[in-house]
Amino acid sequence: MTRRSVTNVVMLTLTGACALLTVSVMFYILGYLAWHGASALSWNFFTKLPAPVNVPGGGMANAIVGSAKLLLLACCIGVPVGILAGIYLSEFAGHTIASVLRFTVDLLNGVPSIVIGIFAYTVIVLPMHTFSTLAGGFALGIMMIPISVRSTEEYLRAVPSSLREASLALGAARWATITRVVVPAAFRGILTGVMLALARVAGETAPLIFTAFGNNSWSHGWSQPTASLPFMIYTYAVSPYDDWHRQAWAAGLVLVTLVLLVNIVTRLALARKMPLSR
Amino acid sequence: MASVGTVHSGNNVNLKSEQSVDTPQRFSLPPKPSVTADSSLRFKISGLKVSYGPKEVLHGIDINISSNVVTALIGPSGCGKSTFLRSLNRMTETVRTARVEGDILLDDENIADMDVVKLRRRVGMVFQRPNPFPKSIFDNVAYGLRINGHKGSLSESVEHSLRRAALWDEVKDQLHKSAYTLSGGQQQRLCIARALAVDPEVLLLDEPCSALDPVTTAKIEELLFQLKPSCTIVIVTHNMQQAARASDFTAFLLEGRLIEYQPTPKLFTTPADPRTEAYITGRFG
């Protein structure tokens, strides 16, 4: 065999092995969660409040609802701000402003999540004198912004400028061109970016510790401390009770499954609704 | 014949009449046009200079473009044909560094003072590469109508535009399919239909056939001929046969200057400027 074909074979094996490794890590985690968590999963897990120590049964209904509320709020903050800023970055900003903005957004993306938590604690928890869903959602929303901005920008820039020109030449104003041609052409990508951002913050625990805190009961409205799946996982996993460990595994399984489900459903809905992208 | 004559670099257009040239009767209108829509001159352009950053691309173009005829712009690559065309509907403004000087009058109104959106609705444009939107065939044509708040039947207007662009029979059963399912030539005619849908007075075409095969090219040239009564057409082309076949007047640009502007048969048979002759006989460019 020549040196070139040896190189080919070696590199093919190496790249293939790394691809396989990536996929198998994902499936290993899923499998491990299922193995340990499935036994604790029951109807009760989804419908009941957490039970006190040594009382069998109990569930995490409040944490599931709490996480859903936190993520909903995070999306309400992170998605519009992220997408609009992404549009500004791609469509309006001049060269200098764009590079400064891009750098800042990347910095924000690099801020440790616990610091974002402290920030939310300072601006929301302290003035309100209480931990709350609002503060937790705010912290997660801020974490979603940089990811949404950058992915929106990337996908918008991938839209060929000939489409913008075609629209402008038809007498469309700049904003009409953006909303009717550019954004629709990049819509699938932008949504993928938002989904990634959502998946990223869904499992965040650190910023919730001093914003949403935790709650063994239901959290009503937006201004009470709330339970959330990641926080539950943390508290249950570090507890000394076997029963709680199993529940933590189950909570992990539910969290991963929910994120996966949202991803799959969005993709399916898009694939059916927009067969026109190239 | 107003506005037709030879130009030497930097000089003004020589407005002498071209009685010697055999042009159709309807072009021999009085030299002084009225301001009405059917005035004989659609564009009056004087001292047009365009630069991108420090680089001046057009060095003072004076030219008048007649209504309801096809005017072809020829010249070697980089001579400023496309820039000239894009300045007619202010598409030059999409380039941040572009600067335009001089006057471009559309029906005696300076386009620099017009609302750019209104200007572009009156002066449509078709680009070199077909650029349909990633939408259905129907939505592509309806786009201009929708953004203009079209009143009345959308589907009637869409059908009318597709018929004008000679595409209706090929697509009438698949209006809701993606425009990307069409062939290149069909896509380009779709782009023409899309531009025609808003009923522009002027249609600018920037090398519309350069990515198309000869059969499709012939279809589009035929189309230009049919559009003439309702539309003033300015076409940039690299293809001199196309200019000779499809246009009534031809302007030859070289290095950002208008070298010669004549009725097409005259320019191609007895060009006044030696550079024009050199170009059309293929000695350069």
Side-chain angles (χ1 to χ4, degrees), chain A residues 91-95 162-174 176-177 180-181 184-185 275-278, chain B residues 86 89 91 94 96 117 120-121 123-125 127 131-136 143 146-148 177-178 180 194-195 198:
Chain A
E91 306 295 316
F92 294 107
H95 185 73
S162 63
L163 293 184
R164 293 180 181 84
E165 290 200 323
S167 171
L168 292 172
L170 283 166
R174 223 162 150 196
T177 298
R180 286 168 179 258
V181 174
L276 289 176
S277 326
R278 13 186 138 196
Chain B
R86 293 167 68 91
N89 65 347
M91 284 300 284
T94 60
R96 227 173 262 271
V117 165
R120 288 179 187 155
R121 282 172 196 175
V123 183
M125 190 165 205
F127 297 83
N131 55 357
F133 299 129
K135 300 173 186 284
S136 71
Y143 181 81
R146 287 190 172 128
I147 54 169
N148 288 323
K177 275 200 190 164
S178 164
Y180 290 138
R194 182 175 67 183
V198 292

Side-chain angles (χ1 to χ4, degrees), chain B residues 9-76:
Chain B
S9 323
N11 293 345
N12 276 339
V13 171
N14 180 351
L15 284 175
K16 78 172 183 230
S17 292
E18 286 291 343
Q19 305 296 350
S20 58
V21 180
D22 185 16
T23 49
Q25 188 57 41
R26 64 194 152 113
F27 302 147
S28 313
L29 293 166
K32 202 172 166 60
S34 62
V35 197
T36 54
D38 55 4
S39 108
S40 66
L41 290 182
R42 185 116 283 169
F43 276 111
K44 293 184 205 163
I45 297 153
S46 54
L48 176 66
K49 289 183 183 177
V50 179
S51 42
Y52 297 118
K55 187 170 182 286
E56 192 172 86
V57 181
L58 295 178
H59 312 291
I61 303 271
D62 304 280
I63 190 171
N64 292 334
I65 292 170
S66 308
S67 288
N68 301 97
V69 298
V70 176
T71 303
L73 301 169
I74 60 168

Side-chain angles (χ1 to χ4, degrees), chain A residues 22-23 25-31 33-34 71 191-192 194-203 229 251-269:
Chain A
T22 316
V23 176
V25 166
M26 177 67 215
F27 280 103
Y28 180 77
I29 292 175
L30 265 183
L33 283 174
L71 291 179
L191 216 92
T192 307
V194 167
M195 282 298 128
L196 278 178
L198 187 69
R200 169 87 175 65
V201 300
L229 282 171
L253 182 63
V254 169
L255 187 59
V256 171
T257 313
L258 284 182
V259 170
L260 216 64
L261 220 61
V262 171
N263 249 297
I264 293 170
V265 167
T266 327
R267 272 163 211 259
L268 282 183

Side-chain angles (χ1 to χ4, degrees), chain B residues 2 9 29-30 97 101 129 162 221 226 234 241 243 248 254 274:
Chain B
S9 323
L29 293 166
T97 56
E101 285 172 58
R129 303 198 72 84
L162 284 168
E221 286 173 15
Q226 289 170 4
V234 186
Q241 285 77 34
D248 302 296
L254 186 63

Side-chain angles (χ1 to χ4, degrees), chain A residues 39-50:
Chain A
S39 62
L41 274 187
S42 64
W43 186 242
N44 279 349
F45 186 86
F46 296 97
T47 54
K48 291 263 169 66
L49 289 173

Side-chain angles (χ1 to χ4, degrees), chain B residues 273-285:
Chain B
D273 193 288
R275 287 169 293 181
T276 315
E277 193 187 357
Y279 182 69
I280 61 175
T281 54
R283 264 183 275 143
F284 73 92

